Amino acid sequence: MRVLVIGGGGREHALVWKIAQSPRVTKVFCAPGNPGIATLAECVPIPAGNIPDLLTFARDQSIDLTVVGPEAPLADGIADTFRQARLRIFGPGQMAARIETSKVFAKDLMRRRGIPTPSAETFTDVTPALEYLRNHTIPVVIKADGLAQGKGVVVATTLDEAKTAVTDLLEQKVLGESGSTIMIEEFVAGDELSVMALTDGNTVLPLLASRDYKRIFDHDQGPNTGGMGSFAPVTSVDSIMMERITNEILQPTVDALSSLGSPYRGLLYAGIMLTSNGPKALECNARFGDPETQVVLPLLKTDLVDLLDAVVAHQLDSISEIEWHEGAAVCVVLASGGYPARPDIGKNIHGVSEAGNLDDVTVFHAGTTMSDEELTTAGGRVLGVMARGSDHGTARAKAYEAVEKISFEGMQHRNDIYHEGVKP
Ligand code: GLY
């Protein structure tokens, strides 16, 4: 098979890394890719948003399967365009991708289908939103309706913080159109986890549960980011809880989205809070999580291409079971100075080979580029240092040993990814 992966971040590096291991695959392309991906696949300089050129490339190169990494091309309808051209693609159509591109659409859908989710109200004007806040309990969650690259959610622990978030979005328009409609959502306490599930619009096959760390600083301090680290599995999620999550959240969401026109063929990501009243869906995404993919795929024993192919062929029911490696995986993200507000990029990166040569360690590239033959930072999240181990503690120790080998000016990372005492 000739496979094209779209995107150029850490998630796409992990996808390419796993796809390239399949004996069914003769060639992997990635558009646009990054220097890490270039060691495994042929990178083609087509931006992930250029759907016409991607379509032409897939046709000209007789691509058998295209796998979409990021949400933006899905939101722009890449899956519909490819399917209309009779090209095989992993990813939902534009209508179904609204589960991620509009938080208000997602909340309405979940409410109508009786899917457990925190209650919320929608606002487009600042005055009624502030009035609503005055009568709301704190903490409270403020969410931009549209895509915001991890910056669209504020968990406000004071009324002032909540008011600032509302005014920033609705009055100051800090996120532009993405934040011109907001939701004010009930805060629910509990253990948060990410569950990614493969689906062909009918069968739903969940992958191992994982956890990501959204805040920039240790002990969940500072602003939200795209994700500063992750681990898998979340062992407190037993098979009974996974069945509940599947039956109460994933399957009804897939059924609802498939009823919009075409079957949902791709990956549904649910951000879930395990509350004292059971699992509640905080958000859904229409693609693999980042950096969750970087810990879930290294634990996958089954050939990923068999799974992706079964999704696209609408034959996911032919897969009776997904096999997993024993043990755990931990990923520590190395970010640029100034991230998430203003990443300071263009810094030379040292030590990536030394880190990657350690046993059970893989360094996934995200915001990197080659400049004057030097590996250089090119984005907020630069690298994801992943290690596997016989248990979470061993994986964590190996990941941090590898982190020690890498340096670039301004580099920041969290020290508490899978810290001792965390409930896995
Ligand atoms: N790690 C969160 C996300 O991928 O949306």
Side-chain angles (χ1 to χ4, degrees), residues 11 71 100 150 194 196 212-214 225-230 269 283 285 287-293 381:
R11 163 188 47 214
E71 59 277 16
E100 171 162 9
S194 309
M196 301 189 281
D212 76 337
Y213 291 71
K214 294 197 170 71
T225 69
M228 291 299 291
S230 52
Y269 164 124
E283 61 168 356
N285 294 327
R287 37 86 197 161
F288 283 93
D290 188 344
E292 290 93 332
T293 305
R381 291 188 293 171

Side-chain angles (χ1 to χ4, degrees), residues 282-417:
L282 301 181
E283 61 168 356
C284 285
N285 294 327
R287 37 86 197 161
F288 283 93
D290 188 344
E292 290 93 332
T293 305
Q294 291 91 311
V295 287
V296 171
L297 293 189
L299 296 172
L300 179 65
K301 203 190 257 182
T302 302
D303 186 338
L304 177 62
V305 174
D306 285 348
L307 298 174
L308 302 175
D309 198 37
V311 164
V312 174
H314 211 330
Q315 289 173 348
L316 198 53
D317 59 355
S318 68
I319 308 276
S320 52
E321 196 192 1
I322 298 183
E323 287 190 277
W324 298 98
H325 293 291
E326 294 289 324
V330 169
C331 177
V332 181
V333 168
L334 307 183
S336 293
Y339 178 72
R342 276 173 298 280
D344 190 13
I345 61 173
K347 310 294 179 196
N348 288 349
I349 307 170
H350 309 282
V352 171
S353 307
E354 290 86 332
N357 285 338
L358 294 174
D359 284 349
D360 302 318
V361 171
T362 304
V363 181
F364 293 117
H365 289 228
T368 67
T369 190
M370 292 305 288
S371 175
D372 294 332
E373 297 183 19
E374 295 268 8
L375 188 66
T376 305
T377 65
R381 291 188 293 171
V382 177
L383 298 163
V385 181
M386 185 284 302
R388 267 179 59 190
S390 52
D391 55 33
H392 292 78
T394 311
R396 175 198 144 83
K398 287 187 197 176
Y400 277 104
E401 186 190 342
V403 166
E404 290 298 311
K405 309 250 176 239
I406 301 176
S407 62
F408 55 85
E409 192 187 321
M411 179 175 116
Q412 42 175 349
H413 65 79
R414 282 183 61 156
N415 296 294
D416 63 346
I417 307 302

Side-chain angles (χ1 to χ4, degrees), residues 230-313:
S230 52
F231 71 80
V234 180
T235 41
S236 58
V237 179
D238 59 14
S239 57
I240 294 169
M241 179 53 74
M242 194 54 107
E243 210 169 301
R244 272 193 79 176
I245 291 169
T246 305
N247 294 338
E248 294 176 21
I249 295 172
L250 299 169
Q251 187 75 56
T253 304
V254 167
D255 292 346
L257 291 171
S258 293
S259 74
L260 293 175
S262 54
Y264 190 110
R265 285 182 210 165
L267 187 124
L268 181 69
Y269 164 124
I272 287 172
M273 191 68 88
L274 294 182
T275 74
S276 48
N277 293 324
K280 291 194 179 198
L282 301 181
E283 61 168 356
C284 285
N285 294 327
R287 37 86 197 161
F288 283 93
D290 188 344
E292 290 93 332
T293 305
Q294 291 91 311
V295 287
V296 171
L297 293 189
L299 296 172
L300 179 65
K301 203 190 257 182
T302 302
D303 186 338
L304 177 62
V305 174
D306 285 348
L307 298 174
L308 302 175
D309 198 37
V311 164
V312 174

